[in-house]
Each structure stands twice: as C-alpha cells, then as structure tokens.
C-alpha cells in the first residue's frame, strides 16, 4: 500500500546573515491512509516547520531545500503557489495551537467557516452557512445555529478550538495536521478535544498528524509516534512499542520525564541534561550525542540512520546504532 | 496599536472605546463642535442671514452690530453669512481631500505591506519622495500645470454637449484643490496602513486563513484590512483638521479655492490686509478655523486614547 504522505530526506534552511542555518535535517516520515501519528520532541526541534513546509506556509526566509513529500501522486515540495493553495484546506487541513488568536475577530464564527466553504468549494452562501452549522454540530458545539452567529470573543477557549477544528474539517481533507491544538487549554478540555479528534478521524476517514510535547496525551489517540530531535526523526514506532520498548536514549529521557502515575509524588525526573543544538550549530554525527549517557566515540562520526529494532515490532525503527546493537545482543 | 493587537475583540472593543470616548470631556467637546460644523455646512443656505455674495456698498467694513452680528467686509458683505458658507467649503475640502488621500494611502499601503517585494520598495520610495518635497511647492506646481489643461478639456466638453456644468469654474477649482491637496497628504496614510498591515499579516488568524486555502485577495480584504483600520480612524480625524488648515493656507497664498466662493482661508487673507483698521475681518474667520481645527484634534486624541486604553501614543 502506498502511503498517503511520504516525506523523504526533507531539509529546511533558515536564511541568516552568516549563511543558511539548517533546522530540519533529513526527516523521513510516512503517514498511511487513515492513520494517526503523534509527533513529539522538544521545543524548536522543527515539528511545526516540517508540517508547514508541506503546504507552502513556511515563514519568510525559511525554505525547504531538499527531499520530497509525495502526497496523492505528486511531490508537494515541487508544487507552485496556486496548486499548493488548492491542497490547503481541501486535502490537508490544519489546526493551530492558539484558539484565542486563530480566529478572525471581525467575522462571526459561522461566517468564518462558511467563507472557507464558499472559497474552497464554490458553495452558494446559504448552502455554506447551512453546512457551517452542521460542522459546528459535528464538533460538538451545543446550539450550533445560535453559536454560528457568535463573535469569536464570545466563545471559551475550548469552544474556539472546536470552531478551529470545524474549519480544518470544512474542506473534508484526507489529512488533518494538528499543531499542539491543546497546549493552550485546560487539562479537562484537552482530553475532550483529543476524544473529539479521534471520533472525527474515524467518522471522516482521515489521517491525523498530532504535534505535541505531551507523550501521555496522545498515547490514547495515536497509532504511531515519531520522536523528533534537532530536525531529524530519531525513533518511529507504534505507540505500544514506544511505551514498552523505548529504545533511543532521547525517547527514554522523554518517557522518564513523564509524571509517574504509581508514585505518590508526581515528580518530574530531571532526566535529560543540556540543551539541543542551535540551528546551524549541530555537531557532526549524532545530534544527541553531546547529551547522551550512552554515547561512544563512533557517535560523533556518522549521522545515524533509522534502522529496525531487533526483536521489537517490525515497524519499530530507531536512529541509534548503539542501542540497536544492544537490542540485538 | 498594541492594545488592538492584544485585545482582538471587535464588538466589545468598539463598545468600550465609545464608552471611553464619552468619558473624555475634550473629545466630547470636539465631537460637539464638529457636529455643529456638519449642520452648518449642510443647512448653511437656510441659516445664513444674508446671501454671501450680496454686496451693500453703503455698509462696508461695519463693526459687529445687531444687523450684522459679525460686521461686514470691504464690499459690504455680511461676515457671518460668508463664514457659514465658508463652513461648506471647509467641510467639502476637508472631507474630499481626506477621502481621496486615504483611498490612495490605503490602496498603496495595503498592497505594499501585504505583498512586500519590489512594489513595496517602490511605494516606500515614492512616499519618501513625496514627503521630502515642500508641500507648498508641490501644490503650486500641480495647480499651475493642471489648471490650463483641465480648463481646456472642460471647455471642449462644453462645446460638445452645451451643458453649462462644464462652464462652472467652481468645479475646476475644487478638482484642482482636492487633487493637489490629496496628492500631498496621502503619504502618512500609506505609511500607517503599511505598518499596520505588516503587523496584522503575521497574526495567527491570517496563517489560519492561509491554511484554509483562501486567496491572497480575500485574506487581504477580509482578514487583514479590517483588523488594520483602528489607527487609521485616529489619523483620519486629525487629518480632517489638517486638511482644513491646509486649504486655508493655500487660499491665503492664492492657490486655494478662488473668490468669490467663500473660504475661511481667503477671508483670513483678505482680513489680514486691513486688520489694523478692521480687526473683526481677521478675527472672525481665524477664530472659527482655530476652534474647528482644535475640535478635530481633541476628537483625534480622544479616539487615540479610547482605542489604545493602555495609553501609548
Ligand atoms: N519565523 C521564524 N524565523 C526564524 N526562525 C524560526 C522561525 N520559526 C521557527 N524558527 C526556528 O526554527 C526552529 C524550528 O522551529 P519549529 O517552529 O518548527 O519548532 P517546533 O518543534 O514546532 O517547536 P515548538 O514545540 O516550540 O512549537 C526553531 O529553532 C526556531 O527557532
Ligand atoms: Mg511548533
């Protein structure tokens, strides 16, 4: 089966005065039809830029400089602005982090959804407005017909995020990319949003990419988890394998820093010392080596590639020869 | 500006702003004076005691009296009536010039700020150029070079159509005054709109709109411009006052509205010649102009405070 989205060797550079700085350094990631994939990693590791690059939304001075991203038989990285605009919304939907500022304050929420439908799908005004109300109902907004006439500031954060989801779904995309959609919300609301997306994913038969810092949050949503570090995928495995057999030292650090449910004190273990490399200042070899307790001399020489983990799920791959060897032993 | 960036709530924003504006005594006074100006400009012909043109050579340069509240000028015309008609000129010129200048400024500033690139650099260069040439010089040059061709063109239209409207020199006058003044007053509006558009286009809802596949044109018209207009309202209010002063200054220098159309500027300029003997001929129009200009500035300041409650000017 060909993947819905197949990213290979993606590199992204920031144009700086002293020359380009590489922020995404050869990402390989495939998303299957209808699959949900969690993407985790520290702040600044390139999660957002990777996803934005797919639909031509990279900020000024930042460009995808290499690799490919096959989607529906074409390479997204090679499409022109017009074609990319048609991909946005109708084939790949987005939900962003901050529901408080991601809605236009001067358009009523129903009209905001309706406008997307009018411009994307060429619906007539009445049809678009009726569809907007349906979408609001779909995302679990009570009294959708009245809410459609509300201004964004009249809704709570959780409600606004539901509106954002309705907008992301308006074009009936095959892939929904959610970039930390719950970070700005209360814990209870977070869980509701996760449940909603899981439900919608099945109903609308779309694939979901969910970017987060919170491994525990997406454990219940994702089929697979890709762990990013400094612009590369260091581990990619089904959720169960990630939790049962975390292999990359960085993944282990992330897991160890989750609050322990069993312990009386929900303490956070200070597991990973140091900071990730600055863009453009990555060390040769494995980017994690300077912070890694298991690093050997060879780690600083060659950039490790993703390889299957012996004895684990066949889809479990990790970019750490040291740990792969240990698993084989 | 920052307050608008932080508090992206339109209806309550405007409601709160209106409440704050109403509490600002100076702004309310300004608004009141402007309201009077608008009424006088609209209903002047029914309010003025005399016709602004009717001369009474037996009653020249009269001081204020029961018959002529503000006296008469050197041709025996009633000063109050001329002031009332002058309100019309002042208002028309201020609104016409400001509308034209704002249109130019919004179109150029919005496109430059939103799309950036070579057009942006060109617009900024053009703005700097326009602002660096002395205003008066520019107006004189535009006036001098356009008056002749426009008159000829209108005469030709008259010969074609025999419609007397093409012989109405007041039209040439206004077109020239509006046109040349708009051509020198648009740059600040363009700069302001460009700066606002630059800040708004980076907001999350603009990125979200892009992610929905909306076209640039729709994003600019529906997402960026409506959210970039707050500071422009303040600038327009102050700009209306400035345009009035400018019109008076140009009338004074002979490149404004031509007599006998009453304009506060040409009344001031006439009054200045005789002010040692008949101070009321200078004082009356000067005072009215000053009061109205101050009113616009009070309102502009009030709007500024009302729209930026955190108070950075
Ligand atoms: N507009 C920009 N201009 C300059 N550098 C940027 C810009 N956006 C991102 N970067 C840099 O690119 C790197 C990757 O950014 P990205 O937003 O993809 O990180 P992220 O993994 O999404 O982080 P977070 O979890 O904080 O959202 C960061 O180091 C960041 O400093
Ligand atoms: Mg991010």
């Amino acid at each position: 089966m060909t993947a819905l989205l197949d990213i290979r060797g993606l590199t992204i550079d920031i144009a700086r005065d002293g020359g380009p700085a590489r922020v995404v350094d050869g990402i390989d990631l495939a998303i299957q039809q209808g699959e949900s994939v969690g993407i985790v990693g520290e702040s600044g590791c390139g999660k957002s830029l990777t996803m934005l690059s797919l639909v031509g939304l990279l900020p000024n001075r930042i460009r995808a400089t290499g690799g490919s991203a096959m989607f529906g038989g074409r390479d997204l990285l090679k499409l022109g602005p017009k074609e990319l605009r048609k991909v946005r919304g109708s084939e790949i939907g987005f939900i962003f982090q901050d529901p408080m500022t991601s809605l236009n304050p001067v358009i009523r929420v129903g009209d905001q959804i309706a406008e997307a439908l009018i411009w994307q799908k060429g619906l007539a005004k009445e049809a678009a407005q009726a569809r907007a109300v349906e979408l609001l109902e779909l995302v679990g907004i009570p009294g959708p017909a009245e809410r459609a006439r509300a201004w964004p500031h009249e809704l709570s954060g959780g409600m606004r995020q539901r509106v954002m989801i309705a907008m992301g779904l308006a074009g009936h995309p095959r892939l929904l990319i959610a970039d930390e959609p719950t970070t700005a919300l209360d814990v209870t609301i977070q869980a509701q949003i996760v449940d909603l997306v899981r439900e919608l994913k099945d109903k609308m038969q779309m694939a979901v990419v969910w970017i987060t810092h919170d491994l525990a949050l997406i454990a219940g949503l994702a089929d697979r988890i890709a762990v990013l570090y400094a612009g590369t995928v260091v581990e990619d495995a089904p959720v169960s394998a990630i939790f049962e057999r975390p292999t990359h030292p960085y993944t282990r650090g992330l897991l160890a820093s989750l609050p322990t449910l069993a312990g009386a004190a929900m303490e956070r273990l200070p597991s990973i010392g140091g900071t990730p490399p600055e863009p453009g200042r990555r060390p040769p070899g494995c980017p994690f080596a300077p912070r890694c307790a298991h690093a050997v001399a060879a780690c600083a020489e060659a950039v490790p590639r993703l390889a299957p983990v012996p004895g684990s799920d066949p889809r479990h791959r990790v970019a750490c020869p040291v740990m792969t060897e240990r698993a084989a032993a | 500006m920052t307050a608008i960036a932080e508090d992206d709530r339109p209806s309550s924003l405007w409601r709160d702003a209106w409440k704050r504006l109403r509490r600002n005594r100076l702004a309310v006074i300004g608004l009141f004076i402007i309201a009077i100006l608008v009424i006088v400009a609209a209903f002047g012909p029914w309010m003025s005691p005399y016709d602004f043109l009717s001369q009474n050579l037996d009653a020249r340069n009269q001081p204020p009296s029961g018959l002529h509240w503000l006296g008469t000028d050197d041709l025996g015309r009633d000063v109050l009536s001329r002031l009332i008609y002058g309100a019309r000129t002042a208002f028309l010129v201020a609104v016409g010039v400001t509308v034209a200048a704002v249109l130019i400024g919004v179109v150029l500033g919005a496109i430059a700020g939103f799309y950036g690139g070579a057009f942006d650099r060109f617009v900024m260069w053009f703005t700097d150029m326009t602002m660096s040439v002395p205003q008066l010089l520019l107006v004189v040059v535009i006036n001098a070079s356009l008056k002749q061709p426009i008159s000829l063109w209108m005469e030709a239209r008259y010969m074609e159509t025999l419609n007397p409207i093409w012989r109405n020199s007041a039209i040439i006058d206004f077109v020239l005054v509006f046109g040349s003044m708009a051509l020198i007053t648009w740059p600040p509006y363009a700069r302001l709109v460009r700066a606002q558009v630059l800040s708004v286009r980076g907001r999350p809802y603009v990125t979200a709109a892009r992610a929905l596949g909306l076209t640039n044109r729709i994003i600019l018209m529906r997402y960026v411009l409506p959210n970039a207009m707050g500071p422009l309202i303040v600038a327009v209010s102050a700009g209306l006052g400035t345009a009035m002063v400018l019109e008076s200054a140009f009338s004074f220098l002979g490149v404004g509205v031509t007599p006998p159309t009453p304009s506060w500027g040409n009344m001031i300029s006439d009054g200045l010649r005789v002010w040692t003997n008949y101070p009321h001929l200078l004082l009356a129009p000067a005072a009215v102009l000053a009061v109205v200009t101050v009113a616009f500035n009070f309102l502009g300041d009030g709007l500024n405070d009302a729209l930026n409650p955190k108070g950075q000017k």
Side-chain angles (χ1 to χ4, degrees), chain A residues 14 23 42-49 59 62 180 213 279:
Chain A
I14 303 182
V23 275
E42 268 162 307
S43 193
C45 69
K47 306 182 292 291
S48 301
L49 293 185
I62 303 187
E180 305 191 41
H213 296 269

Side-chain angles (χ1 to χ4, degrees), chain A residues 5 7 21-22 39 43 88 110 113 127 134 156 173 198 210 216 225 239 250 253 259 261-262 269 277 280 282 285 294:
Chain A
L5 170 69
I7 306 174
R22 181 143 296 185
I39 298 196
S43 193
R88 297 201 284 267
I113 301 173
E134 281 171 35
S156 68
R198 183 174 40 215
W210 188 292
I225 287 178
V239 171
Y250 178 65
L261 297 178
L269 301 177
R282 56 189 63 248
H294 308 278

Side-chain angles (χ1 to χ4, degrees), chain A residues 88 104-105 115 119-120 153, chain B residues 8 10-11 210 212 222 227:
Chain A
R88 297 201 284 267
N104 184 349
E115 286 201 356
W119 301 117
Q120 270 173 11
H153 74 268
Chain B
D8 278 324
S11 52
R210 286 191 198 285
L212 284 173
R222 299 281 292 151
N227 288 295

Side-chain angles (χ1 to χ4, degrees), chain A residues 52 57 60 85 88-89 92 94 96 101-107 112 115-116 119-120 151 153-154 164 167-168, chain B residues 8-12 15 201 203-208 210-218 222-224 226-227:
Chain A
L52 292 174
L57 286 181
N60 275 343
R85 187 169 63 70
R88 297 201 284 267
I92 300 182
F94 265 89
F96 293 101
T101 55
S102 292
L103 288 170
N104 184 349
V106 301
I107 307 184
Q112 244 172 104
E115 286 201 356
W119 301 117
Q120 270 173 11
W151 295 101
H153 74 268
E154 294 169 339
M164 293 303 302
M167 281 170 78
Chain B
D8 278 324
R9 302 184 299 173
S11 52
S12 74
R15 253 201 316 271
R201 81 167 185 189
R203 298 207 185 138
Y205 53 82
V206 175
T207 311
R210 286 191 198 285
L212 284 173
L214 300 187
T215 58
N216 277 328
R217 200 171 57 86
I218 289 154
R222 299 281 292 151
Y223 285 72
V224 175
N227 288 295

Side-chain angles (χ1 to χ4, degrees), chain B residues 235-253:
Chain B
V236 165
S237 169
L240 286 167
T242 313
M244 282 188 188
V245 175
L246 216 54
E247 191 281 320
S248 296
F250 292 150
S251 286
F252 183 75
L253 292 159

Side-chain angles (χ1 to χ4, degrees), chain A residues 171-243:
Chain A
H172 211 303
R174 284 182 288 162
L175 173 63
L176 182 70
I177 296 173
D179 191 349
E180 305 191 41
T182 61
T183 309
L185 304 175
D186 296 349
V187 183
T188 45
I189 312 277
Q190 287 187 5
Q192 287 173 15
I193 296 288
V194 171
D195 288 342
L196 174 68
V197 171
R198 183 174 40 215
E199 197 184 297
L200 290 171
K201 170 181 108 66
D202 294 337
K203 217 181 260 178
M204 304 188 64
Q205 301 185 321
M206 51 182 187
V208 173
V209 169
W210 188 292
I211 299 175
T212 181
H213 296 269
D214 189 345
L215 257 176
L217 182 76
I218 51 164
L221 172 80
D223 304 319
R224 230 176 76 212
I225 287 178
V227 181
L228 253 64
Y229 183 79
T232 55
V233 177
V234 294
E235 188 158 4
D236 181 346
V239 171
S240 54
I242 287 279
F243 282 93

